[in-house]
Amino acid sequence: MRSNVSDRSYEESRLRSVLTEVRRQFTEKVQFLNKIQKNVFTERKSVWEEGPRVVTSFDSAVNLSQQVNQLRHAEMALANTRRLVYKLQKMLASPYFARIDFRETGASQPEQIYIGIGSLFTPDGKPLVYDWRTPVASLFYDFELGPVYYWCQAGKITGDLTLKRQFKIENGRLIYMLDSNLKIDDEILQEILSQQTDEKMRTIVTSIQREQNQVIRDEQHQIVLVQGPAGSGKTSIALHRAAYYLYKERDALTSKNILIFSPNRLFTDYIGNVLPELGEEPVASITFQELAEKRLPANLTIEDFYTQLEAIFSGTATDQDQLRAENIYFKSSPAFITLLERYIQHLSTHGFSFNDLKFLDKVILSKEQLRKLFQHDFAYLPLKKRLNQIQRRAFYLLRPLAKARMEYYRKTLAAERSILTEKERKARSRLATRQDLLPAWQEIRSWKVDTFKLYKELFAQDELWRKLAAGIALPPSIDQLRRETLYTLELEKLRAEELAPYLYFQGKIEGFPAARQIKHVIIDEAQDYTLLHYKVFNEMFPAATFTILGDRNQAIHPRQYPASFAEIQAVFKERSSKLFTLNKSYRATRELTAFTNQLLPAEKQAEFINRPGQPPLLVKVNEAGHLPVAIAEKIQALQAEGWGSLAVITKTARQGQSLYQQLKELVPVRFLSKEEQHLTRGTVIIPSYLAKGLEFDAVLIAADQYQEEEETLFYMACTRALHRLVLFLPASASLLAKIDPQLYRQEVYA
């Protein structure tokens, strides 16, 4: 309910008081920032320009080291001050967004708790604003009025929530306030969701729902998995969870310790503002393709995920297309993982044979001893590192023998009473010893592996393949698949479906580069990764917690094995995990969500908010040549309504390019390819697989491009719309046959 006049007068007075303190602290911190910037600049100049010249002794080196450490601390202080100045600047516009009155059990009066993006205290330590990530602030997100509790370092704190108030404050002015229990259809949430979208994702800190808050604040599990429908806020949850980690672990964690796996650079740009809006530094983001390219030999040609999708979606159902589809499914299936694991185990026990290591006919290490070192003593190491250790052992044993042999030659030359000097005798002794050692050295240096060659041999050796594949259900076309795989590998090419398998195999043979500095990993669009991707993640980030978010109903790959969340959890079985399931969609209007729900089975349909809007519009285009003009007219109509972010979503980039060439003559439009780095407002044409994770005010789709087995792709494209959805179909199309015609409007474009 709305608050009364006296309440508003009190809140306006308090707001003025808080803003006065924010301005004071902002001015103080800006002055301090200017001072520290000058100091850091001076110290940098001193260290990097003058430092090397003064290192003339051990003491001066120690002094320089201390100076470098001081500079490092000063730069950390500079970064922290910049973040604080930015946060105070944000608070000048809106210092808080909520108030709760909490009476702790045993207390006579409730405490007024104002919640904002950061904490604010008076000079004497009195709290004016609490950071939304503080334990007590969770009461705002988790409870309605009445008995409540929260957890903190002191344990469980109980009491009663007597007031829950939300504010809209803009440019330091109180626009309105509302006493509310933050029910799903309340006025403030409705207003937030009704706004037009920007080219950047917004923070949801003012409208986090209870089920979202539980995920954000979970600290009990190392692996948090989130299954939720389109528009349930999964990506926002992940970013706010990162901000929560940075707050809770601020003494041990920085933005450099968090890594996001992003589907593409366009998506990375789209989410890039959320953490800065919350007063935190942005975290690093990488695609799996970029991760792989850092690990793989430069001579390999690597097909990227979107090139593979383009090929699949543009296929013409030829035998070759069908073979490719079977290969993609097999290489992402548990059956292939089992076969690959068996091969790795085979190489671990029988993957290398040794000869006796001899020096001058004396056995230094027998082949039995070498086999024992390989199969037992160093069995805990990956194959390549195991051989490196055996090489070190061999060189260690040869060293005293080589030294003795060199001494023998030196004494022999000395006994001959030649005119050679001592220096010449040593040189000749060293050369003769090297010749004696050459066979042993060559034998030792032959103990190495070629990982790429070993991977090829899996598909090349018939007898080995049959042995490894015993009991595994293989596709009927397996012999063709093996030949096709071997052919591309011989060309030093890795297809997209081969990338995760090879990276995992390489890691098992050579060792994974464990990135222990990464403490938290976020994997968005979880449904588009295979189990082997997750095995790579598990190995590469052994010290990290994970937040893994996705929706099986939005899987964009029609040929890939659909890994379940239970299977993903099993990959991380050594770590504690929990699956959270979200059921509500907040993105679109009730009309749009009711429509897209019918593209799903009844048990998978999402709950949705009661935000009214227009139902989708189905435009039946009788002649294909009329399609560009029909789309252009709808774009102009939507722009006239005031919608600023429009997307024409085509199934493939090829179709998008073709439509772009026709549309650009009719309306201003921009085509977004997989190389695109930035998302801007306006009208864009975008392939379906690049649109995942993004949202637009209005979406226009040429729906006849989608085949029946690509229904999840079509669903994903439709759910990008916040306010308007327009579908273009030929009059004879049957794609929407199972959808209640009462849920959409129709018109014919003649």
Side-chain angles (χ1 to χ4, degrees):
M1 64 178 185
R2 295 277 177 188
S3 306
N4 59 40
V5 174
S6 62
D7 282 345
R8 184 177 180 95
S9 176
Y10 169 80
E11 295 293 4
E12 286 179 335
S13 174
R14 187 186 188 278
L15 175 60
R16 287 192 294 271
S17 175
V18 170
L19 286 172
T20 298
E21 180 59 26
V22 174
R23 289 189 195 96
R24 187 193 69 78
Q25 292 192 24
F26 177 74
T27 302
E28 181 183 277
K29 291 300 179 184
V30 168
Q31 290 172 349
F32 180 69
L33 178 63
N34 292 334
K35 179 181 177 181
I36 200 172
Q37 280 178 324
K38 291 178 182 177
N39 291 342
V40 168
F41 177 78
T42 302
E43 287 188 41
R44 281 177 185 163
K45 185 175 181 181
S46 173
V47 169
W48 303 118
E49 293 183 6
E50 301 174 17
R53 301 176 191 171
V54 301
V55 181
T56 56
S57 66
F58 177 77
D59 288 341
S60 61
V62 170
N63 289 335
L64 178 61
S65 176
Q66 291 174 341
Q67 196 175 354
V68 170
N69 283 331
Q70 289 173 356
L71 174 60
R72 187 178 298 114
H73 289 304
E75 289 184 329
M76 288 175 61
L78 176 62
N80 291 333
T81 305
R82 279 177 177 155
R83 283 198 299 274
L84 185 54
V85 166
Y86 180 80
K87 186 175 290 187
L88 288 167
Q89 189 174 29
K90 298 287 292 182
M91 294 178 76
L92 279 171
S94 181
Y96 46 83
F97 55 83
R99 166 187 165 185
I100 55 174
D101 288 4
F102 173 63
R103 184 176 61 245
E104 188 175 338
T105 301
S108 59
Q109 294 294 325
E111 179 187 359
Q112 293 181 0
I113 296 167
Y114 287 79
I115 302 169
I117 63 166
S119 295
L120 183 72
F121 297 88
T122 61
D124 60 358
K126 179 185 175 182
L128 295 175
V129 182
Y130 286 81
D131 191 296
W132 67 276
R133 295 164 289 189
T134 55
V136 70
S138 66
L139 296 176
F140 170 70
Y141 299 113
D142 285 346
F143 292 99
E144 299 177 7
L145 301 185
V148 297
Y149 65 88
Y150 68 92
W151 292 92
C152 64
Q153 287 185 334
K156 185 178 182 180
I157 308 298
T158 61
D160 288 287
L161 201 61
T162 61
L163 178 71
K164 190 171 183 180
R165 179 171 288 169
Q166 293 173 266
F167 305 97
K168 182 174 183 180
I169 300 171
E170 290 182 350
N171 300 319
R173 292 179 57 248
L174 178 60
I175 307 301
Y176 62 73
M177 61 188 197
L178 185 71
D179 288 353
S180 167
N181 286 336
L182 196 62
K183 290 188 181 298
I184 199 66
D185 297 320
D186 76 19
E187 296 178 46
I188 287 185
L189 182 60
Q190 288 278 13
E191 184 194 356
I192 291 169
L193 297 174
S194 297
Q195 294 173 1
Q196 291 193 32
T197 187
D198 298 321
E199 65 271 18
K200 303 284 188 182
M201 177 178 280
R202 300 190 188 107
T203 169
I204 61 166
V205 67
T206 61
S207 61
I208 294 170
Q209 301 300 298
R210 182 176 184 178
E211 70 275 14
Q212 297 171 330
N213 191 51
Q214 290 173 345
V215 180
I216 290 169
R217 294 175 184 261
D218 185 279
E219 298 179 54
Q220 281 70 52
H221 303 94
Q222 295 166 297
I223 312 295
V224 166
L225 304 103
V226 182
Q227 158 70 38
S232 56
K234 296 183 295 296
T235 302
S236 291
I237 288 170
L239 295 169
H240 286 72
R241 183 163 165 78
Y244 181 74
Y245 264 105
L246 290 168
Y247 174 82
K248 291 289 290 185
E249 307 291 337
R250 53 191 175 277
D251 294 332
L253 193 74
T254 72
S255 59
K256 294 178 181 178
N257 302 124
I258 298 178
L259 181 64
I260 298 176
F261 276 92
S262 176
N264 52 65
R265 282 291 148 201
L266 199 62
F267 182 80
T268 299
D269 178 65
Y270 177 62
I271 66 174
N273 268 15
V274 174
L275 284 171
E277 287 293 311
L278 294 170
E280 301 292 350
E281 288 187 344
V283 301
S285 180
I286 193 173
T287 66
F288 190 84
Q289 182 89 10
E290 290 166 339
L291 177 76
E293 287 171 351
K294 292 179 179 180
R295 290 275 294 140
L296 298 179
N299 62 300
L300 287 181
T301 301
I302 305 170
E303 179 190 48
D304 68 73
F305 181 61
Y306 296 118
T307 300
Q308 182 201 62
L309 282 177
E310 188 75 15
I312 290 294
F313 293 145
S314 302
T316 55
T318 63
D319 290 345
Q320 197 63 28
D321 291 333
Q322 182 60 31
L323 189 66
R324 179 79 192 271
E326 290 176 12
N327 192 44
I328 291 170
Y329 185 88
F330 177 60
K331 295 290 174 59
S332 59
S333 71
F336 182 68
I337 294 174
T338 300
L339 193 144
L340 193 60
E341 295 281 17
R342 287 181 183 179
Y343 183 46
I344 292 166
Q345 184 59 38
H346 166 79
L347 293 173
S348 181
T349 53
H350 308 292
F352 208 87
S353 59
F354 296 92
N355 300 313
D356 290 340
L357 177 64
K358 296 180 180 180
F359 177 58
L360 299 178
D361 295 327
K362 179 182 179 181
V363 176
I364 309 304
L365 282 169
S366 68
K367 58 186 177 183
E368 290 78 14
Q369 289 174 309
L370 289 166
R371 192 178 303 115
K372 179 178 179 296
L373 289 172
F374 181 81
Q375 295 181 349
H376 300 285
D377 296 29
F378 298 131
Y380 64 94
L381 292 170
L383 189 63
K384 186 172 183 177
K385 292 185 177 181
R386 202 182 310 181
L387 291 174
N388 288 342
Q389 283 292 89
I390 296 173
Q391 285 178 329
R392 290 191 188 97
R393 175 70 64 87
F395 282 126
Y396 173 79
L397 294 174
L398 276 175
R399 197 171 297 124
L401 299 177
K403 187 175 180 181
R405 188 64 175 172
M406 194 158 61
E407 182 62 17
Y408 163 77
Y409 279 122
R410 191 191 67 77
K411 288 181 178 180
T412 301
L413 289 170
E416 292 175 355
R417 298 182 180 180
S418 65
I419 60 173
L420 296 174
T421 65
E422 180 64 19
K423 184 177 180 180
E424 289 171 331
R425 284 196 294 271
K426 284 184 178 180
R428 291 196 179 191
S429 299
R430 191 179 298 112
L431 183 60
T433 303
R434 286 173 65 89
Q435 288 297 113
D436 292 341
L437 283 169
L438 191 57
W441 282 351
Q442 289 174 336
E443 178 66 24
I444 293 171
R445 286 168 179 155
S446 72
W447 302 341
K448 60 183 179 181
V449 294
D450 182 332
T451 305
F452 193 67
K453 182 180 178 182
L454 286 178
Y455 189 74
K456 285 192 293 185
E457 286 178 359
L458 170 63
F459 303 96
Q461 297 185 31
D462 291 336
E463 186 177 344
L464 175 62
W465 179 276
R466 285 193 295 271
K467 178 182 175 182
L468 296 173
I472 298 176
L474 300 174
S477 59
I478 190 61
D479 290 337
Q480 285 179 280
L481 294 182
R482 284 176 56 201
R483 287 195 295 271
E484 185 73 16
T485 299
L486 197 57
Y487 174 74
T488 53
L489 293 176
E490 290 289 355
L491 295 174
E492 296 187 329
K493 292 181 179 179
L494 276 183
R495 283 184 159 182
E497 61 267 29
E498 216 76 56
L499 191 55
Y502 182 73
L503 207 61
Y504 179 69
F505 179 78
Q506 181 193 48
K508 284 295 187 179
I509 297 301
E510 300 180 6
F512 288 92
R516 295 189 177 275
Q517 77 280 8
I518 299 299
K519 303 300 183 185
H520 186 65
V521 175
I522 295 171
I523 301 174
D524 207 352
E525 305 295 343
Q527 70 278 359
D528 295 327
Y529 295 97
T530 70
L531 291 174
L532 277 167
H533 284 97
Y534 289 107
K535 282 181 170 287
V536 172
F537 294 142
N538 185 43
E539 296 277 2
M540 289 191 71
F541 305 102
T545 54
F546 282 77
T547 302
I548 302 171
L549 316 98
D551 178 16
R552 288 279 300 278
N553 297 324
Q554 295 183 72
I556 63 173
H557 206 309
R559 306 293 184 243
Q560 208 162 263
Y561 173 83
S564 68
F565 275 99
E567 289 173 306
I568 296 170
Q569 277 181 286
V571 172
F572 298 93
K573 60 186 177 183
E574 303 300 324
R575 315 188 206 191
S576 60
S577 66
K578 182 173 181 178
L579 172 62
F580 290 86
T581 300
L582 308 177
N583 297 311
K584 296 184 181 70
S585 177
Y586 304 98
R587 175 182 293 148
T589 62
R590 67 188 177 203
E591 288 80 7
L592 297 190
T593 310
F595 173 86
T596 54
N597 262 349
Q598 291 211 346
L599 293 168
L600 304 174
E603 68 276 9
K604 295 182 178 180
Q605 294 182 6
E607 299 175 30
F608 52 89
I609 60 171
N610 191 30
R611 178 166 69 87
Q614 290 188 14
L617 173 63
L618 171 60
V619 181
K620 292 195 172 183
V621 183
N622 290 318
E623 295 188 29
H626 293 166
L627 181 62
V629 177
I631 291 176
E633 289 182 4
K634 289 303 175 188
I635 289 173
Q636 291 168 336
L638 289 165
Q639 289 172 334
E641 290 180 29
W643 303 116
S645 171
L646 281 70
V648 181
I649 301 180
T650 58
K651 188 171 74 171
T652 67
R654 183 184 302 176
Q655 292 163 341
Q657 274 282 14
S658 175
L659 185 58
Y660 169 70
Q661 296 301 325
Q662 300 170 78
L663 270 184
K664 70 178 182 179
E665 304 299 328
L666 305 171
V667 289
V669 65
R670 180 175 166 220
F671 176 72
L672 301 180
S673 69
K674 65 181 181 181
E675 287 79 23
E676 193 64 49
Q677 300 281 327
H678 304 290
L679 183 66
T680 56
R681 279 180 70 80
T683 303
V684 299
I685 299 177
I686 185 170
S688 56
Y689 46 77
L690 287 183
K692 62 178 182 175
L694 307 180
E695 54 187 32
F696 305 90
D697 292 330
V699 167
L700 305 93
I701 300 176
D704 65 307
Q705 299 173 350
Y706 296 86
Q707 305 301 316
E708 189 172 338
E709 67 273 17
E710 297 161 354
E711 197 167 61
T712 57
L713 186 69
F714 178 55
Y715 168 80
M716 185 278 295
C718 290
T719 55
R720 301 307 93 201
L722 278 79
H723 310 290
R724 296 284 188 274
L725 176 62
V726 185
L727 306 171
F728 295 87
L729 281 173
S732 59
S734 59
L735 183 64
L736 305 182
K738 67 179 184 179
I739 295 182
D740 183 352
Q742 298 299 315
L743 294 178
Y744 57 89
R745 298 172 292 138
Q746 298 188 55
E747 66 180 48
V748 176
Y749 187 88

